[in-house]
């Protein structure tokens, strides 16, 4: 059964034991994920330094950051581990938070605690942009944190380009300081972890990751607020702009992937 909203276990004020266990969980997952994507498989990174720079800048200048990527496999979070250096995952305050579907990632107590310790936030698909999980992500951004969003809202097994959900638009329009957005597109992760049973991670598969240029929406958000644009229109406009950027990034990533000899 999916996680009941009443089973929320993320502490608002985590203690030392939670922080220690969370750090161990994140670093162990980072090490295994990085090894599996970069060394057990054939991962080619493009513009990884752009993402690393923005993550470091967010931490150094105490500014919120939103990263956005496509979602083709339940192992997609490992792409961040393959792209970024270990320092990006060492200090809990600066590790990414990411929404995860409660009916997939939070179905048992074991999963609930693993993903919660890994800074995955349960969201109920279909409950809209105003729910506890999205409120929590917004709160972390207001604390100048980092949130990673899969704007398709689910694992895309058809590879059709899906309309992005408006949650990312809400985060950008309502954050006290408009976050920088870094888009990224990866190709091949559905072969590393197939979307059908027996769900066994594979080796020697070709993966391509392309990081796009940072997007700054501060002037646009300020202008829309000055024009008294409705919250719905703001969410849609911002999400549509990111969606168009991701379409262009997808075309480039797929071309790079197709051109690889191995």
């Amino acid at each position: 059964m999916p996680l009941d909203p009443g089973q929320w276990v993320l502490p608002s004020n985590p203690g030392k034991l939670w922080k220690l266990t969370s750090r161990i969980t994140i670093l162990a997952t980072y090490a295994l994920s990085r090894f599996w994507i970069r060394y057990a498989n054939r991962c080619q990174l493009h513009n990884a330094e752009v993402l690393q720079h923005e993550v470091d800048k967010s931490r150094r200048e105490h500014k919120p950051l939103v990263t956005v990527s496509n979602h083709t496999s339940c192992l997609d979070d490992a792409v961040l581990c393959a792209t970024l250096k270990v320092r990006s995952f060492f200090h809990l305050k600066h590790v990414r938070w990411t929404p995860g579907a409660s009916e997939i990632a939070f179905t048992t107590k074991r999963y609930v605690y693993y993903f919660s310790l890994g800074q995955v936030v349960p969201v109920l698909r279909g409950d809209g942009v105003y729910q506890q999980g999205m409120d929590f992500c917004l709160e972390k951004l207001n604390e100048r944190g980092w949130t990673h969003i899969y704007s398709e809202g689910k694992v895309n097994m058809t590879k059709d380009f899906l309309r992005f959900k408006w949650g990312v638009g809400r985060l950008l329009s309502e954050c006290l300081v408009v976050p920088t957005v870094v888009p990224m597109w990866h190709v091949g992760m559905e072969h590393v972890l197939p979307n059908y049973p027996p769900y066994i991670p594979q080796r020697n598969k070709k993966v391509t990751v392309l990081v796009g240029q940072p997007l700054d929406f501060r002037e646009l958000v300020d202008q829309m607020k000055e024009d008294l644009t409705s919250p719905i229109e703001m969410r849609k406009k911002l999400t549509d702009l990111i969606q168009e950027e991701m379409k262009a990034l997808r075309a480039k990533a797929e071309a790079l992937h197709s051109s690889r000899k191995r």
Side-chain angles (χ1 to χ4, degrees):
M1 292 292 292
L3 172 70
D4 184 275
Q7 292 179 257
W8 182 278
V9 300
L10 286 168
S12 57
N13 199 10
K16 291 183 179 179
L17 180 59
W18 179 277
K19 289 180 179 178
L20 175 61
T21 309
S22 181
R23 182 176 286 111
I24 292 171
T25 299
I26 289 169
L27 289 175
T29 301
Y30 168 86
L32 180 59
S33 297
R34 186 177 177 86
F35 169 80
W36 202 263
I37 302 302
R38 295 197 64 168
Y39 302 107
N41 287 277
R42 294 174 285 121
C43 181
Q44 189 175 92
L45 303 173
H46 299 271
N47 298 340
E49 69 281 359
V50 172
L51 180 59
Q52 187 67 63
H53 173 77
E54 291 301 321
V55 170
D56 291 343
K57 181 180 178 182
S58 171
R59 178 181 59 190
R60 184 175 63 252
E61 299 183 3
H62 200 51
K63 294 181 178 179
L65 175 68
V66 170
T67 50
V68 182
S69 76
N70 58 315
H71 201 12
T72 60
S73 163
C74 289
L75 199 61
D76 284 349
D77 204 47
V79 171
L80 288 175
C81 301
T83 307
L84 294 167
K85 297 179 180 179
V86 68
R87 66 172 181 263
S88 305
F89 292 86
F90 193 78
H91 299 287
L92 293 182
K93 186 176 179 181
H94 306 294
V95 174
R96 66 93 191 94
W97 291 89
T98 189
S102 61
E103 69 271 25
I104 303 296
F106 292 82
T107 53
T108 67
K109 184 172 287 189
R110 180 186 304 174
Y111 291 168
V112 166
Y113 279 96
Y114 170 74
F115 286 107
S116 296
L117 289 165
Q119 299 197 168
V120 178
V121 183
V123 292
L124 295 169
R125 291 194 291 198
D127 264 22
V129 299
Y130 291 104
Q131 57 173 293
Q132 187 176 11
M134 295 306 295
D135 292 344
F136 188 90
C137 289
L138 181 59
E139 178 185 327
K140 293 303 176 183
L141 287 173
N142 281 331
E143 294 172 359
R144 307 301 193 265
W146 166 25
T147 296
H148 183 71
I149 299 289
Y150 297 105
S151 284
E152 293 161 302
K154 64 179 181 179
V155 173
N156 184 354
M157 295 189 286
T158 66
K159 297 186 181 179
D160 295 328
F161 197 91
L162 302 178
R163 180 186 69 79
F164 282 10
K165 305 300 182 183
W166 291 359
V168 66
R170 183 203 168 191
L171 296 180
L172 296 179
S173 63
E174 295 187 16
C175 191
L176 297 176
V177 175
V178 181
T180 298
V181 177
V182 179
M184 55 191 300
W185 196 277
H186 54 79
V187 184
M189 284 300 296
E190 71 277 10
H191 301 301
V192 176
L193 181 65
N195 291 313
Y196 301 97
Y199 306 116
I200 298 174
Q202 304 295 301
R203 295 180 297 149
N204 204 33
K205 300 299 181 182
K206 185 170 69 171
V207 177
T208 302
V209 181
L210 175 61
V211 178
Q213 292 303 308
L215 305 174
D216 186 348
F217 293 108
R218 287 175 296 177
E219 289 187 9
L220 176 60
V221 171
D222 289 344
Q223 185 62 55
M224 287 193 291
K225 288 181 177 179
E226 186 177 322
D227 294 342
L228 301 180
T229 306
S230 72
I232 292 177
E233 289 180 90
M234 290 181 68
R235 292 198 296 270
K236 183 180 186 306
K237 177 67 174 177
L238 292 165
T239 304
D240 286 349
L241 288 171
I242 293 173
Q243 181 171 283
E244 289 306 308
E245 188 70 24
M246 291 287 279
K247 278 184 180 179
L249 203 61
R250 173 185 180 173
K252 294 176 184 177
E254 290 180 345
L256 289 167
H257 190 74
S258 298
S259 67
R260 290 176 58 183
K261 293 182 179 180
R262 60 180 302 275

